[in-house]
Structures are given as C-alpha cells and as structure tokens.
Amino acid sequence: MDTYEYAGVTSILLIDDDEVVNFMNRLLLNNLGFTGNLISCNNGIEGLDYIKDCVSNGSVLPEIILLDANMPMMDATQFLDELLVNHKCLINKTKIFILSGFQNEEIENNFKSYPIEKILEKPLTEKLLKDILIPPV
C-alpha cells in the first residue's frame, strides 16, 4: 500500500447520517494511508458538538470536513449556518466538502453562498479523494 503526503492534514471530520457511507469513506482514507485523526459523526448536531469540544479542550480542529448535504436533525446548510455564527474562525482553517447523492443546479445553488471547497457526488472513490486531499507534487 502506498502512503501519501496529506499536506499537513492531521484531522478529518466525516459527517453523514448513513453509517455505511462513513465506514466506506473511513476505509478509503485508510487505504490511501491517512494515519491522522479520523472522526465520524452521524449528523450535523454531533459534528458541531465535536467541534465545540475541540475548541473548549484546545484539541486539534479538523482541517477537512466531508459533510453530507441531506441529513435528518440538521442538514448541511443548517450546520454551515451554525458554524458561521459560532465558529467563524474555523472557516478559514478548514476545507469543507459537501457530499451529495446527486449533483444538479439546485444543489449547487443551495451552497453558492457558503464557504465550501466543492460539492462531491457520492460514493467517493480513492481517485477522487486523492485529487482533493493530496496536492499535486
């Protein structure tokens, strides 16, 4: 198995209500040799709680968030709204990728005003993760 340089990334937060998707994304990242902190949350509320704990404990905040667009309890736009209000400093330090089962103009319009890197179509692949997480040498 090859290992890759993750440009200093030590922490990735996965937020998806589908545990299988979180498991598969975790497996893909492990297969790519990511050895940093990999946290899975089942909804936006859990994700925000994790971030609040990191802030209050002085722990490493995630440099990358893979965020499912549609979830019960708190979807991606609600999560981002809360992040912008209560953790604005994180926005400049964290790359946020939206995960969606499909891509269309409506999905793109929903996230147009948010500070995200890109909308990614599920399921993720090793190639896609390499392209977004590993800068070209």
Side-chain angles (χ1 to χ4, degrees):
M1 169 179 56
D2 293 327
T3 57
Y4 299 92
E5 180 58 45
Y6 281 86
V9 174
T10 60
S11 181
I12 298 175
L13 177 59
L14 309 171
I15 304 175
D16 199 306
D17 60 309
D18 187 335
E19 291 182 25
V20 173
V21 170
N22 275 338
F23 174 80
M24 293 306 295
N25 290 340
R26 181 182 285 279
L27 187 62
L28 285 170
L29 287 160
N30 287 333
N31 286 345
L32 287 172
F34 181 75
T35 58
N37 197 14
L38 197 50
I39 304 93
S40 299
C41 295
N42 293 321
N43 58 60
I45 295 169
E46 286 182 20
L48 285 172
D49 287 345
Y50 174 77
I51 290 167
K52 288 174 191 171
D53 288 347
C54 286
V55 169
S56 66
N57 296 333
S59 301
V60 175
L61 290 163
E63 289 99 354
I64 293 173
I65 297 175
L66 299 175
L67 177 62
D68 185 21
N70 298 305
M71 296 176 285
M73 298 173 70
M74 178 181 276
D75 67 17
T77 56
Q78 293 167 317
F79 174 87
L80 292 167
D81 287 338
E82 183 74 20
L83 206 60
L84 286 167
V85 169
N86 294 311
H87 302 287
K88 195 166 190 158
C89 65
L90 180 73
I91 296 296
N92 297 326
K93 300 174 185 174
T94 301
K95 292 183 178 182
I96 301 171
F97 295 90
I98 301 298
L99 307 180
S100 178
F102 55 92
Q103 277 190 289
N104 61 32
E105 195 172 321
E106 182 183 346
I107 292 285
E108 290 176 18
N109 287 336
N110 285 346
F111 294 99
K112 197 173 266 185
S113 65
Y114 291 101
I116 64 165
E117 295 294 312
K118 193 172 184 180
I119 298 171
L120 306 173
E121 193 167 345
K122 294 195 272 185
L124 297 180
T125 63
E126 282 190 14
K127 181 187 180 331
L128 181 59
L129 284 172
K130 277 190 220 178
D131 289 347
I132 64 169
L133 301 177
I134 305 167
V137 180

